Amino acid sequence: MKQVILAAHFPGVNNQTVWSDPASGSQIDFASFTHLARTAERGRFDFFFLADGQRLREQRGRIHDLDVVGRPDSLTVLSGLAAVTTHLGLAATVNATFNEPYDLARRIATLDHLSGGRAGWNVVTSSDAFTGENFRRGGYLDHSQRYERAEEFVRTTRELWDSWAAEDLVADPVTGTFATREAGAFAHRGTHFDIGGRFTVPRSPQRHPLTIQAGDSDGGREFAAATADAIFSRHGRPAEGQAFYRDIAARVAAHGRAPGSLKILPGATFALGDTDAEAQEHADHIRRQQVSPQTAILLLEQLWNRDLSAYDPEGPLPEIDPDVSEDRSIIKGRAGMYRDRLKTAAEWRALAEQKRLGIRDLIIEVTGRQSFIGSPARVAEEINESVQSDAADGFILVPHLTPTGLDEFVDKVVPLLQERGVFRTEYGTTTLRGHLGLENNG
């Protein structure tokens, strides 16, 4: 049987977070990060996952309320967590558009050393000028070049990590030789990067820290199939998950990579109860907290690309069509989510009419992601079925509360997966690549 992979997503800034719940704590205190990481490690999770953003999102000229909590630097937070955990992998989301390979390769290799081989890098890209305003080059990168630059970026960082061979660190007091002449020497000549010199960090425990990719476009899938070790997918439901799994497997083979060398990890939420009915009631309560009346209008505006603040959240959808003008986007700092606004709006109208849904109920219906809802036994069984049927290799769980949202899952669901023999009871390896059953390049 396949072993289930589990990661813990720190909720942070997204519309799964229920920051207004009385049980919710700080989104930025280190104690919150520590609690969730230690809970994940107590549950023998594979890794801890942090998202990132390079600029606070705005909508109608106002900061999106979920971004008000801030977006601390992922690698800094994970470096702190390396000191309070021993086995848990530590994966940071870092943008390949607004960074440089030398600096980022150095920071990730440093985390890999500090953690004893537990570092991971979720590679994301961006092309919007709004985010680019925070950087020297501004929004300089054309959308079509995002993955071209990202692919060369990843290739260059690996060249830097490879610039130290295992035998380059000599440290021989008799001869007075600390490192070989070749240590850290590199030269990369490419379309986006032309750099050469000496890399300052000796080979880290994993040599190539784990690489994760999250894009879902055709370019994103090709990029992942060619370079990544894991995909943070949005295709978690059984049928669509299996279709995505087959598509990625075919692309991986076309790139000459071995089957199983790229792990598929959809994001997923969960709601538990002593009975399935109680869990469903809990899940409904969570969804209505996540999609408040104000949030429903904000999320609808992201498709309609219009100010809809005058509309009743419990009322019908607007009769006017979405604004498809690309140069008048109402939302800033977030990747485009809808390729064809008019088509999606027509689908939403049809669904609302069929189920007699107002705006808020429709948004609850269409913005839900893969969720495991039920008793702990049902949730454990559904997770296992998804993995054994190749709909996924595991899941990146997104609790709705910070920092205690994972506690119940670890206490009630993890033991049932362990009883089924599909999840570890103790860590058998020390590196993140080892946890995922991937070749350790160190």
Side-chain angles (χ1 to χ4, degrees), residues 113 160-171 178-180 182-184 201-208 440-442:
H113 276 290
L160 292 164
W161 292 332
D162 287 341
S163 66
W164 280 79
E167 61 274 15
D168 279 343
L169 196 59
V170 179
F178 187 78
T180 65
E182 297 78 16
V201 184
R203 175 172 294 201
S204 72
Q206 292 185 108
R207 181 178 166 191
H208 293 172
N440 194 336
N441 294 318

Side-chain angles (χ1 to χ4, degrees), residues 7 12 43 60 68 76 79-81 86 118 187 220 233 245 303 309 316 334 336 338 347 351 371 398 406 441:
R60 280 191 255 125
V68 174
T76 303
S79 295
L81 292 179
T86 57
R118 296 184 281 138
S233 159
Y245 202 103
L303 171 62
S309 56
R334 184 167 189 170
Y338 305 104
E347 292 170 350
L351 182 62
S371 292
V398 189
L406 198 64
N441 294 318

Side-chain angles (χ1 to χ4, degrees), residues 59-248:
Q59 190 159 326
R60 280 191 255 125
R62 297 178 57 186
I63 297 174
H64 194 280
D65 64 344
L66 291 174
D67 273 13
V68 174
V69 297
R71 288 189 156 183
D73 176 69
S74 298
L75 284 167
T76 303
V77 172
L78 294 179
S79 295
L81 292 179
V84 297
T85 54
T86 57
H87 286 80
L88 187 68
L90 303 167
T93 299
V94 189
N95 198 298
T97 305
F98 299 117
N99 282 283
E100 294 295 323
Y102 185 91
D103 176 58
L104 187 55
R106 186 166 176 255
R107 292 162 61 202
I108 295 174
T110 300
L111 177 62
D112 208 41
H113 276 290
L114 290 176
S115 64
R118 296 184 281 138
W121 171 28
N122 178 36
V123 185
V124 295
T125 64
S126 178
S127 63
D128 71 279
F130 176 76
T131 302
E133 289 174 352
N134 275 351
F135 298 89
R136 177 170 59 87
R137 290 174 174 166
Y140 69 98
L141 189 66
D142 185 83
H143 185 273
S144 63
Q145 293 183 303
R146 286 186 309 157
Y147 288 116
E148 177 187 298
R149 176 185 162 97
E151 188 278 329
E152 188 178 340
F153 195 118
V154 171
R155 182 157 37 90
T156 307
T157 57
R158 288 174 176 168
E159 290 170 9
L160 292 164
W161 292 332
D162 287 341
S163 66
W164 280 79
E167 61 274 15
D168 279 343
L169 196 59
V170 179
D172 184 351
V174 176
T175 63
T177 304
F178 187 78
T180 65
R181 289 177 178 273
E182 297 78 16
F186 71 91
H188 176 92
R189 307 286 180 250
T191 303
H192 295 274
F193 309 107
D194 186 354
I195 56 177
R198 296 267 186 180
F199 190 54
T200 58
V201 184
R203 175 172 294 201
S204 72
Q206 292 185 108
R207 181 178 166 191
H208 293 172
L210 190 84
T211 302
I212 306 168
Q213 197 273 335
D216 190 48
S217 65
D218 185 68
R221 293 184 186 203
E222 274 299 296
F223 173 56
T227 65
D229 301 303
I231 295 181
F232 182 19
S233 159
R234 62 185 178 88
H235 302 288
R237 295 184 173 87
E240 66 173 338
Q242 288 171 337
F244 181 77
Y245 202 103
R246 288 192 297 271
D247 177 72
I248 295 299

Side-chain angles (χ1 to χ4, degrees), residues 373-438:
I373 301 170
S375 65
R378 174 180 289 276
V379 170
E381 186 55 35
E382 289 185 356
I383 289 175
N384 186 36
E385 283 181 6
S386 294
V387 172
Q388 303 309 328
S389 66
D390 284 345
D393 291 308
F395 291 91
I396 297 178
L397 297 178
V398 189
H400 70 283
L401 289 180
T402 304
T404 58
L406 198 64
D407 295 13
E408 189 178 19
F409 186 94
V410 166
D411 291 336
K412 296 181 178 179
V413 179
V414 167
L416 298 177
L417 292 171
Q418 292 169 332
E419 286 178 10
R420 286 167 169 78
V422 295
F423 194 66
R424 69 175 65 84
T425 56
E426 295 295 339
Y427 287 105
T429 60
T430 59
T431 67
L432 176 52
R433 300 184 71 87
H435 296 346
L436 268 58
L438 297 171

Side-chain angles (χ1 to χ4, degrees), residues 233-349:
S233 159
R234 62 185 178 88
H235 302 288
R237 295 184 173 87
E240 66 173 338
Q242 288 171 337
F244 181 77
Y245 202 103
R246 288 192 297 271
D247 177 72
I248 295 299
R251 294 172 190 257
V252 166
H255 284 280
R257 300 179 61 190
S261 58
L262 177 56
K263 305 299 183 183
I264 311 297
L265 306 173
T269 60
F270 60 89
L272 302 175
D274 290 338
T275 64
D276 291 344
E278 182 180 293
Q280 187 60 59
E281 183 179 348
H282 186 206
D284 293 342
H285 175 67
I286 292 170
R287 287 297 289 149
R288 298 197 77 77
Q289 285 184 294
Q290 290 169 330
V291 185
S292 67
Q294 296 86 351
T295 299
I297 293 296
L298 287 171
L299 294 178
L300 189 69
E301 287 178 340
Q302 291 175 10
L303 171 62
W304 246 257
N305 198 28
R306 294 180 184 276
D307 183 347
L308 303 177
S309 56
Y311 282 77
D312 177 3
E314 308 300 338
L317 290 174
E319 294 182 354
I320 56 174
D321 284 331
D323 183 347
V324 295
S325 305
E326 293 184 4
D327 57 349
R328 290 208 305 270
S329 177
I330 196 170
I331 184 169
K332 306 286 187 183
R334 184 167 189 170
M337 297 177 290
Y338 305 104
R339 295 175 186 171
D340 187 335
R341 292 178 183 277
L342 295 176
K343 179 183 177 185
T344 303
E347 292 170 350
W348 286 16
R349 281 196 175 107

